[in-house]
Amino acid sequence: IRMVDPQTLLLTGLTRDGTFYIENGKIMFPVKNFRFNESPVIMLNNLEALGKTERSISVESYRSYMIPPMKIRDFTFSSLSDAV
């Protein structure tokens, strides 16, 4: 995840392998990776649901984070990527 605009906190990033289409709580099939452009301020304003907090480890900093899965309304994906 990289900063695009510090004034609006606009961030960009790419989902990594392990992105799936989920329907009615069940994993249906894998999907392509997505590039996103979003501000956490806007994202949290559009928060619809939170799940159970999970531990996540950054592959860049090797820091450990406790982050809940989130359902976000109107999250901004800008492009698809075939990255693997």
Coordinates of all heavy atoms in Angstrom, one line a residue:
I1 N 0.9 -1.2 0.0 CA 0.0 0.0 0.0 C 0.9 1.2 0.0 O 1.8 1.3 0.8 CB -0.9 0.0 1.2 CG1 -1.9 -1.2 1.1 CG2 -1.7 1.3 1.3 CD1 -2.8 -1.4 2.3
R2 N 0.6 2.2 -0.9 CA 1.4 3.4 -1.0 C 0.5 4.6 -0.9 O -0.7 4.6 -1.3 CB 2.1 3.4 -2.4 CG 2.9 2.2 -2.7 CD 4.3 2.4 -2.0 NE 5.2 1.3 -2.4 CZ 5.5 0.2 -1.8 NH1 4.9 0.0 -0.6 NH2 6.3 -0.7 -2.2
M3 N 1.0 5.7 -0.4 CA 0.3 7.0 -0.3 C 0.3 7.6 -1.7 O 1.3 7.7 -2.4 CB 1.1 7.9 0.7 CG 0.4 9.2 0.9 SD -1.1 9.1 1.8 CE -0.6 8.6 3.4
V4 N -0.9 8.1 -2.1 CA -1.1 8.8 -3.3 C -1.2 10.3 -3.0 O -0.6 11.2 -3.6 CB -2.4 8.3 -4.1 CG1 -2.6 9.2 -5.3 CG2 -2.2 6.9 -4.5
D5 N -2.1 10.7 -2.0 CA -2.3 12.0 -1.6 C -2.4 12.2 -0.1 O -3.4 11.8 0.5 CB -3.6 12.5 -2.3 CG -3.9 14.0 -2.0 OD1 -3.1 14.7 -1.2 OD2 -4.9 14.5 -2.5
P6 N -1.4 12.7 0.5 CA -1.3 12.8 2.0 C -2.5 13.7 2.6 O -2.9 13.5 3.7 CB 0.0 13.4 2.3 CG 0.8 13.4 1.1 CD -0.1 13.2 -0.1
Q7 N -2.9 14.7 1.8 CA -4.0 15.6 2.4 C -5.3 14.8 2.5 O -6.1 15.1 3.4 CB -4.1 16.8 1.5 CG -3.0 17.7 1.6 CD -3.2 19.0 0.9 OE1 -4.0 19.2 0.0 NE2 -2.4 20.0 1.3
T8 N -5.6 14.0 1.6 CA -6.9 13.2 1.6 C -6.7 11.8 2.2 O -7.7 11.1 2.3 CB -7.6 13.1 0.3 OG1 -6.7 12.4 -0.6 CG2 -7.9 14.5 -0.3
L9 N -5.5 11.4 2.5 CA -5.1 10.1 2.9 C -5.4 9.0 1.8 O -5.7 7.9 2.1 CB -5.7 9.7 4.2 CG -5.3 10.5 5.4 CD1 -6.0 10.0 6.7 CD2 -3.8 10.4 5.6
L10 N -5.4 9.4 0.5 CA -5.7 8.5 -0.5 C -4.5 7.5 -0.7 O -3.4 7.9 -0.8 CB -5.9 9.3 -1.9 CG -6.2 8.4 -3.1 CD1 -7.6 7.7 -2.9 CD2 -6.2 9.2 -4.4
L11 N -4.9 6.2 -0.6 CA -3.9 5.2 -0.7 C -4.1 4.4 -2.0 O -5.3 4.3 -2.5 CB -4.0 4.3 0.5 CG -3.9 4.9 1.9 CD1 -4.2 3.9 3.0 CD2 -2.5 5.5 2.1
T12 N -3.1 3.7 -2.5 CA -3.3 2.8 -3.6 C -2.6 1.5 -3.2 O -1.6 1.5 -2.4 CB -2.7 3.3 -4.9 OG1 -3.1 2.4 -6.0 CG2 -1.2 3.4 -4.9
G13 N -3.1 0.4 -3.7 CA -2.5 -0.9 -3.4 C -3.1 -2.0 -4.3 O -3.9 -1.7 -5.2
L14 N -2.5 -3.2 -4.2 CA -2.9 -4.3 -5.0 C -3.2 -5.5 -4.1 O -2.5 -5.8 -3.3 CB -1.8 -4.6 -6.0 CG -2.0 -5.7 -7.0 CD1 -3.0 -5.2 -8.1 CD2 -0.7 -6.0 -7.7
T15 N -4.4 -6.1 -4.4 CA -4.7 -7.3 -3.7 C -3.7 -8.4 -4.1 O -3.1 -8.3 -5.2 CB -6.1 -7.8 -3.9 OG1 -6.3 -8.2 -5.3 CG2 -7.2 -6.8 -3.5
R16 N -3.4 -9.3 -3.3 CA -2.5 -10.4 -3.6 C -3.2 -11.7 -3.8 O -4.4 -11.7 -3.6 CB -1.4 -10.5 -2.5 CG -0.6 -9.3 -2.2 CD 0.3 -9.0 -3.4 NE 1.1 -7.8 -3.2 CZ 1.7 -7.1 -4.1 NH1 1.5 -7.5 -5.4 NH2 2.4 -6.1 -3.8
D17 N -2.5 -12.7 -4.3 CA -3.2 -13.9 -4.5 C -3.9 -14.4 -3.3 O -3.5 -14.2 -2.2 CB -2.1 -15.0 -4.9 CG -1.4 -14.6 -6.2 OD1 -2.0 -14.0 -7.1 OD2 -0.1 -14.8 -6.2
G18 N -5.1 -14.9 -3.5 CA -6.0 -15.3 -2.4 C -7.2 -14.4 -2.4 O -7.8 -14.2 -1.3
T19 N -7.6 -13.8 -3.5 CA -8.8 -13.0 -3.6 C -9.9 -13.9 -4.2 O -9.7 -14.4 -5.3 CB -8.5 -11.7 -4.4 OG1 -7.4 -11.1 -3.9 CG2 -9.7 -10.8 -4.4
F20 N -11.0 -13.9 -3.5 CA -12.1 -14.8 -3.9 C -13.4 -14.1 -3.9 O -13.7 -13.2 -3.2 CB -12.2 -16.0 -2.9 CG -10.9 -16.8 -2.9 CD1 -9.9 -16.6 -2.0 CD2 -10.8 -17.9 -3.8 CE1 -8.8 -17.3 -1.9 CE2 -9.6 -18.7 -3.7 CZ -8.6 -18.4 -2.8
Y21 N -14.3 -14.6 -4.8 CA -15.7 -14.2 -4.9 C -16.4 -15.0 -3.8 O -16.4 -16.2 -3.8 CB -16.3 -14.5 -6.2 CG -17.7 -14.0 -6.4 CD1 -18.0 -12.7 -6.7 CD2 -18.8 -14.9 -6.1 CE1 -19.3 -12.3 -6.7 CE2 -20.1 -14.5 -6.2 CZ -20.3 -13.2 -6.5 OH -21.6 -12.8 -6.6
I22 N -17.1 -14.3 -2.9 CA -17.9 -14.9 -1.8 C -19.3 -14.6 -2.0 O -19.7 -13.4 -2.2 CB -17.4 -14.4 -0.5 CG1 -15.9 -14.8 -0.3 CG2 -18.2 -15.0 0.7 CD1 -15.2 -14.2 0.9
E23 N -20.2 -15.6 -2.0 CA -21.6 -15.5 -2.1 C -22.3 -16.2 -1.0 O -22.0 -17.4 -0.7 CB -22.1 -16.0 -3.4 CG -23.5 -15.8 -3.8 CD -23.9 -16.2 -5.2 OE1 -23.3 -15.6 -6.1 OE2 -24.7 -17.1 -5.3
N24 N -23.2 -15.5 -0.2 CA -23.9 -16.1 0.9 C -22.9 -16.8 1.9 O -23.2 -17.8 2.4 CB -24.9 -17.1 0.4 CG -26.0 -16.5 -0.4 OD1 -26.4 -15.4 -0.1 ND2 -26.4 -17.2 -1.5
G25 N -21.8 -16.1 2.1 CA -20.8 -16.6 3.1 C -19.9 -17.8 2.6 O -19.2 -18.3 3.4
K26 N -20.0 -18.2 1.4 CA -19.2 -19.3 0.9 C -18.3 -18.8 -0.3 O -18.7 -18.1 -1.1 CB -20.2 -20.4 0.3 CG -21.0 -21.0 1.4 CD -21.8 -22.2 0.9 CE -22.6 -22.8 2.0 NZ -23.4 -24.0 1.6
I27 N -17.1 -19.4 -0.2 CA -16.1 -19.1 -1.3 C -16.6 -19.8 -2.6 O -16.8 -21.0 -2.6 CB -14.7 -19.5 -0.9 CG1 -14.2 -18.7 0.3 CG2 -13.8 -19.4 -2.1 CD1 -12.9 -19.2 0.8
M28 N -16.8 -19.0 -3.7 CA -17.3 -19.6 -4.9 C -16.2 -19.9 -5.9 O -16.2 -20.9 -6.5 CB -18.4 -18.7 -5.5 CG -19.5 -18.3 -4.6 SD -20.4 -19.8 -4.0 CE -21.3 -20.3 -5.4
F29 N -15.3 -18.9 -6.1 CA -14.2 -19.1 -7.1 C -13.2 -18.0 -6.9 O -13.5 -16.9 -6.3 CB -14.7 -19.1 -8.5 CG -15.7 -18.0 -8.9 CD1 -15.2 -16.7 -9.3 CD2 -17.0 -18.1 -8.7 CE1 -16.0 -15.7 -9.6 CE2 -17.9 -17.1 -9.1 CZ -17.4 -15.9 -9.5
P30 N -11.9 -18.2 -7.4 CA -10.9 -17.2 -7.3 C -11.2 -16.1 -8.3 O -11.8 -16.3 -9.3 CB -9.6 -17.9 -7.6 CG -10.0 -19.1 -8.4 CD -11.4 -19.5 -7.9
V31 N -10.8 -14.9 -8.0 CA -10.9 -13.7 -8.9 C -9.5 -13.1 -9.2 O -8.6 -13.4 -8.5 CB -11.9 -12.7 -8.4 CG1 -13.3 -13.2 -8.3 CG2 -11.4 -12.1 -7.1
K32 N -9.4 -12.3 -10.2 CA -8.2 -11.6 -10.5 C -7.8 -10.7 -9.4 O -8.7 -10.2 -8.6 CB -8.3 -10.8 -11.8 CG -8.3 -11.7 -13.0 CD -8.2 -10.8 -14.3 CE -8.1 -11.7 -15.5 NZ -7.8 -11.0 -16.7
N33 N -6.6 -10.3 -9.3 CA -6.1 -9.3 -8.3 C -6.7 -7.9 -8.8 O -6.8 -7.7 -10.0 CB -4.6 -9.3 -8.2 CG -4.1 -10.5 -7.5 OD1 -4.6 -10.9 -6.5 ND2 -3.2 -11.2 -8.1
F34 N -6.9 -7.0 -7.8 CA -7.4 -5.7 -8.1 C -6.5 -4.6 -7.6 O -5.9 -4.8 -6.5 CB -8.7 -5.5 -7.3 CG -9.9 -6.3 -7.7 CD1 -10.1 -7.5 -7.1 CD2 -10.7 -5.9 -8.8 CE1 -11.2 -8.3 -7.5 CE2 -11.8 -6.7 -9.2 CZ -12.0 -7.9 -8.5
R35 N -6.3 -3.5 -8.3 CA -5.7 -2.3 -7.8 C -6.8 -1.5 -7.2 O -7.8 -1.4 -7.8 CB -5.0 -1.6 -9.0 CG -4.6 -0.2 -8.5 CD -3.2 0.3 -8.8 NE -2.1 -0.6 -8.9 CZ -1.2 -0.7 -7.9 NH1 -1.3 -0.1 -6.8 NH2 -0.2 -1.5 -8.1
F36 N -6.5 -0.9 -6.1 CA -7.5 -0.1 -5.4 C -6.9 1.3 -5.1 O -5.7 1.5 -5.0 CB -8.0 -0.7 -4.1 CG -7.0 -0.9 -3.1 CD1 -6.7 0.1 -2.2 CD2 -6.4 -2.1 -3.0 CE1 -5.7 -0.1 -1.2 CE2 -5.4 -2.4 -2.0 CZ -5.1 -1.4 -1.1
N37 N -7.8 2.3 -5.1 CA -7.4 3.7 -4.7 C -8.5 4.1 -3.7 O -9.7 4.2 -4.1 CB -7.4 4.6 -5.9 CG -6.3 4.3 -6.8 OD1 -5.1 4.4 -6.4 ND2 -6.6 4.0 -8.0
E38 N -8.2 4.2 -2.5 CA -9.2 4.5 -1.5 C -8.6 5.2 -0.3 O -7.4 5.0 0.1 CB -9.9 3.3 -1.0 CG -11.1 3.4 -0.2 CD -12.2 4.2 -0.9 OE1 -12.9 3.5 -1.7 OE2 -12.3 5.4 -0.8
S39 N -9.3 6.1 0.4 CA -8.9 6.7 1.6 C -9.5 6.0 2.8 O -10.7 5.6 2.8 CB -9.4 8.2 1.7 OG -9.4 8.7 3.0
P40 N -8.8 5.7 3.8 CA -9.3 5.0 5.0 C -10.5 5.8 5.7 O -11.4 5.2 6.3 CB -8.2 4.7 5.9 CG -7.1 5.6 5.4 CD -7.3 5.9 4.0
V41 N -10.4 7.1 5.5 CA -11.4 8.0 6.1 C -12.8 7.7 5.4 O -13.8 7.5 6.0 CB -11.1 9.5 6.0 CG1 -12.2 10.3 6.5 CG2 -9.8 9.7 6.8
I42 N -12.7 7.7 4.1 CA -13.9 7.4 3.3 C -14.4 5.9 3.5 O -15.6 5.6 3.7 CB -13.7 7.6 1.8 CG1 -13.3 9.1 1.5 CG2 -14.9 7.2 0.9 CD1 -14.3 10.1 1.9
M43 N -13.4 5.0 3.5 CA -13.7 3.6 3.7 C -14.4 3.4 5.0 O -15.5 2.7 5.0 CB -12.4 2.8 3.7 CG -12.6 1.3 3.8 SD -11.0 0.5 4.0 CE -10.7 0.7 5.7
L44 N -13.9 3.9 6.1 CA -14.6 3.7 7.4 C -16.0 4.4 7.4 O -16.9 3.9 8.1 CB -13.7 4.1 8.5 CG -12.4 3.3 8.7 CD1 -11.5 3.9 9.7 CD2 -12.8 1.9 9.1
N45 N -16.1 5.4 6.7 CA -17.4 6.1 6.6 C -18.4 5.2 5.9 O -19.6 5.3 6.1 CB -17.3 7.4 5.9 CG -18.6 8.3 6.0 OD1 -19.1 8.4 7.1 ND2 -19.1 8.8 4.9
N46 N -18.0 4.3 5.0 CA -18.8 3.4 4.3 C -18.8 2.0 4.8 O -19.3 1.0 4.1 CB -18.4 3.4 2.8 CG -18.6 4.7 2.1 OD1 -19.5 5.4 2.5 ND2 -17.8 5.0 1.1
L47 N -18.4 1.8 6.1 CA -18.4 0.5 6.7 C -19.8 0.0 6.9 O -20.6 0.6 7.5 CB -17.7 0.7 8.1 CG -17.5 -0.6 8.9 CD1 -16.5 -1.6 8.2 CD2 -16.9 -0.2 10.3
E48 N -20.0 -1.2 6.4 CA -21.3 -1.9 6.6 C -21.3 -3.0 7.6 O -22.3 -3.3 8.3 CB -21.9 -2.4 5.3 CG -22.3 -1.3 4.3 CD -22.9 -1.8 3.0 OE1 -22.9 -3.1 2.8 OE2 -23.5 -1.0 2.3
A49 N -20.2 -3.7 7.7 CA -20.1 -4.9 8.6 C -18.7 -5.2 9.0 O -17.8 -4.9 8.2 CB -20.8 -6.1 8.0
L50 N -18.5 -5.7 10.2 CA -17.1 -6.1 10.7 C -17.2 -7.6 11.0 O -18.3 -8.1 11.6 CB -16.7 -5.4 11.9 CG -16.3 -3.9 11.8 CD1 -16.0 -3.3 13.1 CD2 -15.0 -3.9 10.9
G51 N -16.1 -8.4 10.8 CA -16.1 -9.8 11.2 C -15.1 -9.9 12.4 O -14.7 -8.9 13.0
K52 N -14.8 -11.2 12.7 CA -13.9 -11.5 13.8 C -12.5 -11.0 13.4 O -12.0 -11.3 12.3 CB -13.9 -13.0 14.1 CG -13.0 -13.4 15.2 CD -13.0 -14.9 15.4 CE -12.0 -15.3 16.4 NZ -11.7 -16.7 16.4
T53 N -11.8 -10.3 14.3 CA -10.5 -9.9 14.1 C -9.5 -11.0 13.8 O -9.5 -12.0 14.5 CB -10.0 -9.0 15.3 OG1 -10.9 -7.9 15.5 CG2 -8.6 -8.5 15.1
E54 N -8.6 -10.8 12.8 CA -7.6 -11.8 12.5 C -6.2 -11.2 12.5 O -6.1 -10.0 12.2 CB -7.9 -12.3 11.0 CG -9.3 -13.0 10.8 CD -9.3 -14.4 11.4 OE1 -8.3 -15.0 11.5 OE2 -10.4 -14.9 11.6
R55 N -5.2 -12.0 12.7 CA -3.8 -11.5 12.7 C -3.4 -11.5 11.2 O -3.6 -12.4 10.5 CB -2.9 -12.4 13.5 CG -1.5 -11.9 13.5 CD -0.6 -12.7 14.5 NE -1.1 -12.7 15.8 CZ -1.0 -11.7 16.7 NH1 -0.3 -10.6 16.4 NH2 -1.5 -11.8 17.9
S56 N -2.8 -10.4 10.8 CA -2.2 -10.3 9.5 C -0.8 -9.8 9.6 O -0.5 -8.9 10.4 CB -3.0 -9.3 8.7 OG -2.5 -9.1 7.4
I57 N 0.1 -10.4 8.8 CA 1.5 -10.0 8.8 C 1.9 -9.3 7.5 O 1.7 -9.9 6.5 CB 2.4 -11.2 9.1 CG1 2.1 -11.8 10.5 CG2 3.9 -10.8 9.1 CD1 2.8 -13.0 10.9
S58 N 2.5 -8.1 7.6 CA 2.9 -7.4 6.4 C 4.1 -8.1 5.8 O 5.1 -8.4 6.5 CB 3.2 -6.0 6.7 OG 3.9 -5.3 5.7
V59 N 4.1 -8.4 4.5 CA 5.2 -9.0 3.8 C 6.3 -8.0 3.5 O 7.4 -8.3 3.2 CB 4.8 -9.7 2.5 CG1 3.9 -10.8 2.8 CG2 4.2 -8.7 1.5
E60 N 6.0 -6.7 3.6 CA 7.0 -5.7 3.4 C 7.7 -5.3 4.7 O 8.9 -5.1 4.7 CB 6.4 -4.4 2.8 CG 5.9 -4.7 1.3 CD 5.4 -3.4 0.7 OE1 5.4 -2.3 1.3 OE2 5.0 -3.6 -0.5
S61 N 7.0 -5.1 5.8 CA 7.6 -4.7 7.1 C 7.7 -5.8 8.1 O 8.4 -5.6 9.1 CB 6.8 -3.6 7.7 OG 5.5 -4.1 8.1
Y62 N 7.1 -6.9 7.8 CA 7.0 -8.1 8.8 C 6.4 -7.7 10.1 O 6.6 -8.4 11.1 CB 8.4 -8.7 9.0 CG 9.0 -9.2 7.7 CD1 10.0 -8.5 7.0 CD2 8.5 -10.3 7.1 CE1 10.6 -8.9 5.8 CE2 9.0 -10.8 5.8 CZ 10.1 -10.1 5.2 OH 10.6 -10.5 4.1
R63 N 5.6 -6.6 10.1 CA 4.9 -6.3 11.3 C 3.6 -7.1 11.3 O 3.0 -7.4 10.3 CB 4.6 -4.8 11.3 CG 5.8 -3.9 11.5 CD 5.4 -2.5 11.6 NE 6.6 -1.7 11.9 CZ 6.8 -0.4 11.5 NH1 5.8 0.2 10.8 NH2 7.9 0.2 11.8
S64 N 3.1 -7.3 12.5 CA 1.9 -8.0 12.8 C 0.8 -7.1 13.1 O 1.0 -6.2 13.9 CB 2.1 -9.0 13.9 OG 1.0 -9.7 14.2
Y65 N -0.4 -7.3 12.5 CA -1.5 -6.4 12.7 C -2.7 -7.3 13.1 O -2.9 -8.4 12.6 CB -1.9 -5.6 11.5 CG -0.8 -4.7 11.1 CD1 0.2 -5.1 10.1 CD2 -0.6 -3.4 11.6 CE1 1.2 -4.2 9.7 CE2 0.4 -2.5 11.2 CZ 1.3 -3.0 10.2 OH 2.3 -2.2 9.8
M66 N -3.6 -6.7 13.9 CA -4.9 -7.4 14.2 C -6.0 -6.6 13.4 O -6.2 -5.4 13.8 CB -5.2 -7.4 15.7 CG -4.2 -8.2 16.5 SD -4.2 -10.0 16.1 CE -5.8 -10.5 16.8
I67 N -6.6 -7.2 12.4 CA -7.5 -6.5 11.5 C -8.7 -7.3 11.3 O -8.6 -8.5 11.0 CB -6.8 -6.2 10.1 CG1 -5.5 -5.4 10.3 CG2 -7.8 -5.5 9.2 CD1 -4.7 -5.2 9.1
P68 N -9.9 -6.7 11.5 CA -11.2 -7.5 11.2 C -11.5 -7.4 9.7 O -11.2 -6.5 9.0 CB -12.2 -6.7 12.0 CG -11.7 -5.3 12.0 CD -10.2 -5.4 12.0
P69 N -12.1 -8.5 9.2 CA -12.6 -8.4 7.8 C -13.7 -7.4 7.8 O -14.4 -7.2 8.8 CB -13.1 -9.8 7.5 CG -13.3 -10.5 8.8 CD -12.4 -9.8 9.8
M70 N -13.8 -6.6 6.7 CA -14.8 -5.5 6.6 C -15.6 -5.6 5.3 O -15.0 -6.0 4.3 CB -14.1 -4.2 6.7 CG -13.3 -3.9 7.9 SD -12.4 -2.3 7.9 CE -10.8 -3.0 7.6
K71 N -16.8 -5.3 5.4 CA -17.7 -5.1 4.3 C -17.8 -3.6 4.1 O -18.4 -2.9 4.9 CB -19.0 -5.8 4.4 CG -19.9 -5.6 3.2 CD -21.3 -6.3 3.4 CE -22.1 -6.1 2.2 NZ -23.5 -6.5 2.4
I72 N -17.3 -3.1 2.9 CA -17.3 -1.7 2.7 C -18.1 -1.4 1.4 O -17.9 -1.9 0.4 CB -15.8 -1.2 2.4 CG1 -14.9 -1.7 3.5 CG2 -15.8 0.3 2.1 CD1 -15.1 -1.0 4.8
R73 N -19.1 -0.4 1.6 CA -19.9 0.0 0.5 C -19.1 1.0 -0.4 O -18.3 1.8 0.1 CB -21.1 0.7 1.0 CG -22.1 1.3 0.0 CD -23.3 2.0 0.7 NE -22.8 3.2 1.4 CZ -22.7 3.3 2.8 NH1 -23.0 2.2 3.5 NH2 -22.3 4.4 3.3
D74 N -19.2 0.8 -1.7 CA -18.6 1.7 -2.7 C -17.0 1.8 -2.6 O -16.5 2.9 -2.8 CB -19.1 3.2 -2.6 CG -20.6 3.2 -2.8 OD1 -21.1 2.4 -3.6 OD2 -21.3 4.0 -2.2
F75 N -16.4 0.7 -2.3 CA -14.9 0.7 -2.3 C -14.4 0.9 -3.7 O -15.0 0.3 -4.6 CB -14.4 -0.7 -1.7 CG -13.0 -0.7 -1.3 CD1 -12.5 -0.2 -0.1 CD2 -12.0 -1.2 -2.2 CE1 -11.2 -0.2 0.2 CE2 -10.7 -1.2 -1.9 CZ -10.3 -0.7 -0.7
T76 N -13.4 1.6 -3.9 CA -12.9 2.0 -5.2 C -11.8 1.1 -5.7 O -10.6 1.3 -5.3 CB -12.4 3.5 -5.2 OG1 -13.5 4.3 -4.7 CG2 -12.1 4.0 -6.6
F77 N -12.2 0.2 -6.7 CA -11.2 -0.6 -7.4 C -10.9 0.1 -8.7 O -11.9 0.5 -9.4 CB -11.7 -2.0 -7.6 CG -11.7 -2.8 -6.3 CD1 -12.8 -3.1 -5.7 CD2 -10.5 -3.3 -5.8 CE1 -12.9 -3.9 -4.5 CE2 -10.5 -4.0 -4.6 CZ -11.7 -4.3 -4.0
S78 N -9.7 0.3 -9.1 CA -9.4 1.1 -10.3 C -9.0 0.2 -11.5 O -9.2 0.6 -12.7 CB -8.3 2.1 -10.0 OG -7.1 1.4 -9.6
S79 N -8.5 -1.0 -11.3 CA -8.1 -1.9 -12.4 C -7.9 -3.3 -12.0 O -7.8 -3.6 -10.8 CB -6.8 -1.4 -13.1 OG -5.8 -1.4 -12.2
L80 N -7.9 -4.2 -13.0 CA -7.6 -5.6 -12.7 C -6.1 -5.9 -13.0 O -5.5 -5.2 -13.8 CB -8.4 -6.5 -13.6 CG -9.9 -6.5 -13.4 CD1 -10.6 -7.3 -14.5 CD2 -10.2 -7.1 -12.1
S81 N -5.6 -6.9 -12.4 CA -4.2 -7.3 -12.6 C -4.1 -8.8 -12.7 O -4.7 -9.5 -11.9 CB -3.3 -6.8 -11.5 OG -2.0 -7.3 -11.5
D82 N -3.3 -9.3 -13.6 CA -3.0 -10.7 -13.7 C -1.8 -11.2 -12.8 O -1.4 -12.3 -12.9 CB -2.7 -11.1 -15.1 CG -3.9 -11.1 -16.0 OD1 -5.0 -11.4 -15.5 OD2 -3.7 -10.7 -17.2
A83 N -1.4 -10.3 -11.9 CA -0.2 -10.5 -11.1 C -0.4 -11.8 -10.2 O -1.5 -12.1 -9.8 CB 0.0 -9.3 -10.1
V84 N 0.6 -12.6 -10.1 CA 0.6 -13.8 -9.3 C 1.7 -13.8 -8.3 O 2.6 -13.1 -8.3 CB 0.6 -15.1 -10.1 CG1 -0.7 -15.3 -10.7 CG2 1.8 -15.0 -11.1

